[in-house]
Amino acid sequence: MEVEAMVDGRWQWYPPEVEGWLGALWGKSAGRAGGTANLLLSHMLDTAAVAEIVWDRYLSPVTRRRLDAVAGGQGRGRRLFAWLCGIHDCGKATPVFQCLDLAGEAAVRQAGLTWDKYAVKGASWRHDKAGARVLRALLTDAQWSMEQVGWVWPLVAGHHGLVPTLGQLSPPKRSEKLQGNTRQWKLAQSALVEVFSRELGYEGEAPLAAVEPLEVPSRAMQLQLAGFVVMADWIASDERHFTGVSDLARVTMPQARQRAAAAWARLGLRGGWGTLPVPGPEAFRDRFGHGPRPSQELVLDVVRRMGGPGLVIVEAPMGEGKTKAALAAAELMAARHGADGVFLGMPTQATADPMSTQVRSWLREVGDGLEDQVALLHGKRMVNKQWRALLEGTGEWGQEADSYYSSVGEDEFGMSTDCFDGCPDGERRVPAEWFLGRRRGLLSPFAVGTIDQLLYAATRTKHVMLRTAGLMGKVVILDEVHAADVYMSQFLLEGLWWLGQAGVPVVLLSATLPPEQRRDLAAAYLAGTRSAEAPAVPELPEPQGYPSVTAVWPGQDGQPEVLVESTESWRHDLQVRVEVLHEQPAETDARAAGDAAGPADAAVTDYLRERLTDGGCVLIIRNTVARAQATFDALHKEYGADVRLLHARLHAGHRADRTQEVLELLGPPREGSERPGRLIVVATQLAEQSFDVDADLLITDLAPMDLLLQRIGRLHRHDGVKRPHTLSRPTVVVTGIGLDDDKAPYILRASEGIYGRYLLLRTAAEVERAATSGEGMWSIPGQVPDLVARVYGTDPVVPAAWAESEAQARQEWEERQTKRRAKAAGYVLTRAGEHGAQTLAGLHYGALGKLAEGQFEALVRDGDPSAEVVLVRRLGEDDFRAVTGRSLGPNGEVAAETVDDVLSGTVRLPARLTEAAEQALGPLPGWRDHPWLRHSLALELDGQGEAVIGDFRLRYDDLLGLVVSGGRPYR
């Protein structure tokens, strides 16, 4: 009786027929709602009820505080948040939508709402735009200010992932018949919105007037809200938990809350650590088992002194403990500013994998159960055995987890519903599966992935609001930011702008940054805090020492505050001798793939023959795979099993095994471990980042100064290592150049293709200066900032004989940089000149449509795209083998116990093979239904380990990895 009375009371404001109309307007068809149509009002209330739980159990404290302020005071934000999420589908109360389902159409017509079916049928007019048009009119009639109307309608218009311009809210041919232009339709639309508003507690004859917010949120908060609208809608569109309700008497907010609570529990969703106490000085030791080093203490001291959330740039040498300092700073920032989680972005997939393990260990000390809320985010996480092991403990999902969440799509009714479910069985060791779906990873309470995840959030792409909603409310940590080239940097700077406007605490880590890059990063963040288009470059004092910390944040008056501090490294400087092993152009230089000239390898072999008389451990870094393979081949003939090869064209199994072996042999000294008497590791740039090995001697191809110093960071890295007398002095030998007193040096053509000639010339000048001076040394790490600043600065550093070549190289470099910036500008989230916009209207004007994950990677990383393949051996018509030798089914079928063997054959092809590979290769027939392999390209090797793709001949050698010949010459 109470329910009946409440239901009857809802219609006192309207003519009798309105109740019948709202009892017929459908939001989910029977086919999409478990067999019974779900009334439109029911779905809107379901979504609002989900939003209430999102507020209570998921939103960060800082987000709730800010929404309270927008709504007009403490305690008011929750209701407004639920209203904003639930109102999203009001545009379904239009003829153009109601005619999409025959049964639903018949019920609506029978209730008395009619339309010209010939004008409406087949028209292209989506309910998201229709809803924005409906809502703009209703809010205007309710006397909302234009500023408030202006930011709310894009949330409705964009809830399917793309926010249109105001001009795009007109139906095709301006036919108002699609929208519902009769008195009855306008009354039905008004009643729907008003009844919905009253159900949420906005009372009276004019409930819409009571909804109006007090403040206009920042554009960043609007984007965050847009993401949560999508999140709440997707959860409420799950027919397993929100079966259809066609009886209007049962459509109430209390009923919706019961459904939402059950769905949330079933899905296993949760937020992060909630409200944290401010950690004390003992926290670092509690988390990591030892006290902080001076540089780590400096980071925490600076964070404590900051007057609000801001950007912290930590520059410290390799091995200084920057990551631990950043995690400790993140906990402190979260406690002070109300963040509810962390995203940690790494430069590569290979560095993200071990970092996820480290973050889990840290969170285990922060709070019970938090370690199980860490998502690993990159395109090849399923190749990671540890990640798969965590998934396999989730009962019915196990291997299927990603497949359930990889194909979420839309239809005219909303989201497909074959992918929303939880895991009732097994102990969860990863975030809820809902968070693991495509585009949703950053919504996980804690996430570790490649920096690409943040870069994607700075692109003008569909559903970008889901990514930004996942970042805002967290602390963001980005490692190795110096590795971002000029193209990637455009997305990084754009992302920092949005994080600055959102007030997200950010920690950037780098071995060292050129002064200009440091200023650009700080300026982008500060520009966001001021909603400024062109960032004013802040007055940043240069750090007076190394390691250093630079912090910027907006002061009380909105003006930037700056804090720059430095300290001494926990280790004494190494006096690194610099030598050059000269090379000259090979006679076949124009044809040689990767400049893999024989004389260069012979020179390295001769040099090592002299230096390794007493043994020793050597790291050789080559700039191309072909050059590394050639060097390994030459050295293997001389030193046999004492030589190892690491590069990106080893299949995943070989690469993982060899990497682990080298880390164990040359890693930090451990009790009971024994360093090999002689070991030579030949590697590519894989050894440049997050590769904790200690070499007695380093031989490296020339690279830009910051990267060269990264490589030198592997030299005499650990204390307590016993070294041969002949290698007791740390020495770097630079190869890939030929110095000449009378002219500019010869530099490997392949190196110039990767890094450009300009920075290599300036680095070569510093190398020559050190190698030919009396002492011939660099003081590392103390001299690192000065060396980087000299190379990346504009002061003359090259000899006079090189000046003309440098000038030409600089012009070419600047032209290339300008082109790459312009190329990125077409894809960044905010178009030029629109950073000062007040709303999201037109955010996606000129946007890219739906992109696959590989296309996203190509979008934020410049250069030729490359394809990844899975190697299999085909020894007969129906005889497929994994690279480990284990048999597959007659069509390549993969049993559960064979998955690791198959995935271990994953390898990336050279970019020049991409087009041919994508045309010629596909999954094996037996992979078509496999959740992890159905989109993989299988490269079938014959009994000799060979294959042909187009004009290319490929051979997989267990020592050399993938060897490619044929095709067009290297460029």
Side-chain angles (χ1 to χ4, degrees):
M1 291 298 296
E2 292 179 1
V3 171
E4 289 291 339
M6 178 178 63
V7 171
D8 289 343
R10 292 186 292 184
W11 313 111
Q12 61 180 306
W13 314 101
Y14 309 105
E17 61 268 24
V18 169
E19 183 177 359
W21 295 344
L22 267 63
L25 291 171
W26 59 275
K28 302 286 180 183
S29 68
R32 296 285 176 173
T36 301
N38 200 25
L39 292 179
L40 177 53
L41 179 61
S42 175
H43 174 62
M44 291 169 65
L45 292 177
D46 286 341
T47 307
V50 169
E52 289 181 341
I53 297 181
V54 170
W55 176 282
D56 295 338
R57 307 184 193 178
Y58 180 83
L59 288 191
S60 66
V62 66
T63 302
R64 293 198 296 267
R65 287 199 301 267
R66 290 170 179 165
L67 279 171
D68 272 343
V70 169
Q74 186 173 356
R76 297 186 178 183
R78 183 176 185 268
R79 185 184 301 172
L80 175 63
F81 180 69
W83 188 91
L84 290 171
C85 291
I87 203 66
H88 71 287
D89 261 355
C90 64
K92 290 183 176 179
T94 52
V96 72
F97 182 87
Q98 293 297 313
C99 74
L100 292 175
D101 179 72
L102 291 178
E105 176 185 1
V108 174
R109 286 184 176 277
Q110 186 175 357
L113 285 174
T114 60
W115 58 87
D116 181 347
K117 63 180 181 180
Y118 298 105
V120 171
K121 186 176 182 180
S124 177
W125 181 235
R126 291 183 54 89
H127 71 271
D128 42 13
K129 294 180 182 178
R133 190 172 175 87
V134 165
L135 197 60
R136 286 189 76 248
L138 292 176
L139 297 183
T140 301
D141 290 345
Q143 303 299 307
W144 277 37
S145 71
M146 292 311 298
E147 290 80 10
Q148 298 293 352
V149 175
W151 75 264
V152 169
W153 73 256
L155 304 187
V156 173
H159 79 266
H160 278 288
L162 298 171
V163 184
T165 64
L166 180 59
Q168 292 172 316
L169 296 190
S170 296
K173 299 181 180 178
R174 301 194 176 275
S175 174
E176 294 298 331
K177 292 181 179 180
L178 305 179
Q179 190 78 12
N181 61 345
T182 65
R183 183 191 66 82
Q184 290 88 345
W185 273 106
K186 290 184 180 298
L187 178 58
Q189 293 162 355
S190 175
L192 173 72
V193 172
E194 289 181 351
V195 170
F196 166 76
S197 301
R198 290 193 186 97
E199 284 286 336
L200 267 65
Y202 294 105
E203 301 292 349
E205 186 175 357
L208 278 185
V211 179
E212 184 174 16
L214 184 66
E215 297 180 2
V216 175
S218 70
R219 200 159 175 250
M221 174 162 273
Q222 294 171 35
L223 191 60
Q224 183 184 19
L225 284 170
F228 289 134
V229 171
V230 176
M231 178 181 180
D233 179 28
W234 286 9
I235 293 173
S237 296
D238 179 355
E239 66 183 74
R240 304 181 194 187
H241 308 304
F242 297 90
T243 53
V245 179
S246 58
D247 180 2
L248 186 61
R250 294 176 51 227
V251 178
T252 67
M253 196 61 189
Q255 291 291 328
R257 286 175 178 136
Q258 291 182 18
R259 286 150 62 91
W264 190 270
R266 170 72 176 174
L267 291 169
L269 302 176
R270 57 161 290 175
W273 45 36
T275 301
L276 277 178
V278 177
E282 74 289 344
F284 194 98
R285 183 178 296 276
D286 292 343
R287 305 293 182 255
F288 304 111
H290 61 82
R293 293 169 177 165
S295 62
Q296 295 166 333
E297 186 59 58
L298 176 66
V299 173
L300 296 175
D301 177 64
V302 168
V303 169
R304 290 188 188 100
R305 292 160 59 189
M306 293 173 67
L311 174 72
V312 178
I313 301 173
V314 180
E315 296 174 74
M318 298 65 71
E320 188 71 22
K322 294 188 291 292
T323 302
K324 290 181 179 179
L327 293 175
E331 184 180 353
L332 180 57
M333 288 171 149
R336 293 187 64 201
H337 307 304
D340 191 40
V342 174
F343 168 67
L344 202 162
M346 301 296 293
T348 64
Q349 295 176 4
T351 55
D353 287 346
M355 185 55 65
S356 67
T357 302
Q358 184 174 340
V359 170
R360 284 174 56 85
S361 299
W362 165 64
L363 286 171
R364 190 177 299 119
E365 303 301 324
V366 175
D368 291 341
L370 293 179
E371 74 273 18
D372 297 332
Q373 300 303 316
V374 181
L376 177 62
L377 304 181
H378 62 68
K380 294 301 173 184
R381 64 183 175 186
M382 296 315 299
V383 180
N384 181 301
K385 293 181 181 180
Q386 288 77 19
W387 176 254
R388 292 207 311 279
L390 293 173
L391 282 178
E392 287 166 2
T394 59
E396 64 186 88
W397 289 86
Q399 295 182 10
E400 302 293 321
D402 271 19
S403 68
Y404 282 107
Y405 293 99
S406 62
S407 58
V408 174
E410 299 168 17
D411 56 28
E412 61 270 31
F413 309 125
M415 293 301 305
S416 65
T417 55
D418 61 348
C419 58
F420 297 106
D421 204 0
C423 171
D425 306 314
E427 181 182 352
R428 294 215 50 79
R429 293 182 292 164
V430 293
E433 274 85 2
W434 194 91
F435 288 130
L436 303 184
R438 191 166 175 266
R439 298 185 294 265
R440 282 169 274 162
L442 287 173
L443 290 165
S444 300
F446 304 94
V448 178
T450 57
I451 192 175
D452 301 52
Q453 300 297 323
L454 179 133
L455 304 183
Y456 298 157
T459 59
R460 205 178 325 137
T461 49
K462 193 172 186 180
H463 287 118
V464 67
M465 61 280 291
L466 277 173
R467 301 181 190 274
T468 52
L471 288 171
M472 297 171 186
K474 288 185 172 68
V475 178
V476 172
I477 303 171
L478 302 178
D479 199 4
E480 311 270 16
V481 291
H482 61 270
D485 60 23
V486 67
Y487 181 84
M488 290 175 62
S489 290
Q490 306 313 301
F491 300 98
L492 174 57
L493 296 174
E494 175 73 1
L496 289 176
W497 189 98
W498 283 91
L499 296 178
Q501 190 181 67
V504 174
V506 178
V507 183
L508 304 181
L509 307 179
S510 178
T512 188
L513 289 171
E516 182 179 3
Q517 188 178 8
R518 188 187 307 117
R519 288 192 297 270
D520 288 345
L521 295 169
Y525 186 91
L526 289 172
T529 67
R530 304 176 69 182
S531 302
E533 174 64 33
V537 179
E539 292 293 331
L540 283 185
E542 286 296 313
Q544 298 303 302
Y546 184 69
S548 69
V549 180
T550 301
V552 297
W553 68 95
Q556 294 293 329
D557 59 356
Q559 296 302 309
E561 300 280 349
V562 178
L563 188 58
V564 180
E565 298 284 359
S566 58
T567 187
E568 293 183 353
S569 174
W570 69 282
R571 297 184 63 188
H572 296 300
D573 278 1
L574 285 176
Q575 304 306 309
V576 178
R577 176 177 289 280
V578 181
E579 299 179 3
V580 175
L581 198 59
H582 295 273
E583 295 183 30
Q584 297 300 327
E587 292 180 3
T588 58
D589 190 55
R591 300 188 304 275
D595 294 318
D601 301 319
V604 170
T605 304
D606 292 341
Y607 181 86
L608 291 180
R609 196 177 292 121
E610 294 181 8
R611 297 301 303 271
L612 298 184
T613 54
D614 297 328
C617 298
V618 183
L619 175 62
I620 302 174
I621 301 180
R622 296 305 209 188
N623 285 345
T624 68
V625 172
R627 188 167 159 86
Q629 289 173 327
T631 300
F632 171 84
D633 203 33
L635 292 173
H636 189 258
K637 294 173 182 175
E638 179 89 8
Y639 296 103
D642 290 341
V643 189
R644 304 288 191 277
L645 178 63
L646 280 174
H647 58 72
R649 282 185 224 152
L650 294 169
H651 67 58
H654 280 163
R655 180 171 163 181
D657 292 343
R658 293 188 197 178
T659 300
Q660 185 61 36
E661 180 193 20
V662 171
L663 290 174
E664 290 178 357
L665 291 173
L666 299 182
R670 302 187 312 275
E671 186 176 349
S673 64
E674 185 174 345
R675 191 173 171 89
R678 185 174 65 190
L679 183 68
I680 303 170
V681 177
V682 182
T684 56
Q685 291 90 334
L686 294 178
E688 202 168 78
Q689 297 171 330
S690 302
F691 192 60
D692 191 8
V693 298
D694 179 304
D696 300 323
L697 173 68
L698 173 67
I699 300 175
T700 172
D701 282 344
L702 182 70
M705 180 59 76
D706 53 335
L707 303 181
L708 183 61
L709 292 169
Q710 281 280 107
R711 299 176 184 186
I712 292 175
R714 284 54 182 141
L715 188 59
H716 288 221
R717 183 180 178 95
H718 301 131
D719 293 332
V721 175
K722 187 177 180 180
R723 308 183 193 281
H725 177 72
T726 54
L727 301 178
S728 60
R729 187 170 190 176
T731 302
V732 56
V733 181
V734 180
T735 56
I737 58 173
L739 299 176
D740 191 312
D741 292 338
D742 300 324
K743 60 181 181 181
Y746 159 74
I747 298 176
L748 283 175
R749 184 165 50 86
S751 298
E752 290 186 357
I754 298 168
Y755 303 115
R757 182 170 175 80
Y758 173 65
L759 292 177
L760 292 176
L761 268 178
R762 292 179 68 86
T763 302
E766 293 295 332
V767 169
E768 183 195 42
R769 184 174 295 109
T772 57
S773 66
E775 290 295 321
M777 290 187 303
W778 285 336
S779 185
I780 304 296
Q783 205 176 337
V784 165
D786 181 60
L787 288 169
V788 172
R790 285 174 58 81
V791 168
Y792 280 87
T794 57
D795 293 341
V797 296
V798 304
W802 305 11
E804 183 178 348
S805 180
E806 184 206 25
Q808 180 180 350
R810 180 177 178 84
Q811 181 179 350
E812 294 171 354
W813 178 74
E814 289 179 339
E815 290 174 354
R816 185 165 183 251
Q817 299 289 83
T818 299
K819 288 180 181 178
R820 297 179 76 193
R821 286 191 189 96
K823 180 180 177 182
Y827 306 128
V828 294
L829 181 52
T830 310
R831 293 185 301 278
E834 296 191 4
H835 282 100
Q838 299 300 304
T839 75
L840 299 181
L843 179 73
H844 284 91
Y845 183 78
L848 296 167
K850 189 175 181 180
L851 297 178
E853 204 66 28
Q855 292 173 304
F856 265 110
E857 182 178 344
L859 182 64
V860 298
R861 291 182 182 260
D862 199 13
D864 298 329
S866 59
E868 218 167 36
V869 299
V870 178
L871 303 179
V872 293
R873 298 186 185 275
R874 186 167 191 172
L875 306 182
E877 183 66 27
D878 299 322
D879 188 359
F880 292 98
R881 307 286 179 92
V883 292
T884 60
R886 295 191 69 173
S887 296
L888 309 181
N891 294 304
E893 295 87 351
V894 180
E897 64 272 14
T898 317
V899 169
D900 280 351
D901 299 81
V902 174
L903 291 176
S904 69
T906 303
V907 65
R908 187 168 292 276
L909 299 179
R912 63 185 188 275
L913 272 72
T914 300
E915 184 178 353
E918 291 179 344
Q919 290 178 355
L921 305 180
L924 295 180
W927 294 0
R928 300 289 182 183
D929 296 322
H930 195 281
W932 303 340
L933 294 170
R934 60 188 174 194
H935 300 302
S936 298
L937 303 179
L939 179 60
E940 299 177 21
L941 304 176
D942 61 20
Q944 287 70 48
E946 297 182 348
V948 174
I949 301 178
D951 297 331
F952 299 93
R953 180 168 295 279
L954 293 80
R955 173 174 61 89
Y956 193 86
D957 183 280
D958 285 344
L959 288 176
L960 294 174
L962 190 68
V963 181
V964 180
S965 59
R968 63 180 185 272
Y970 178 87
R971 293 179 184 174

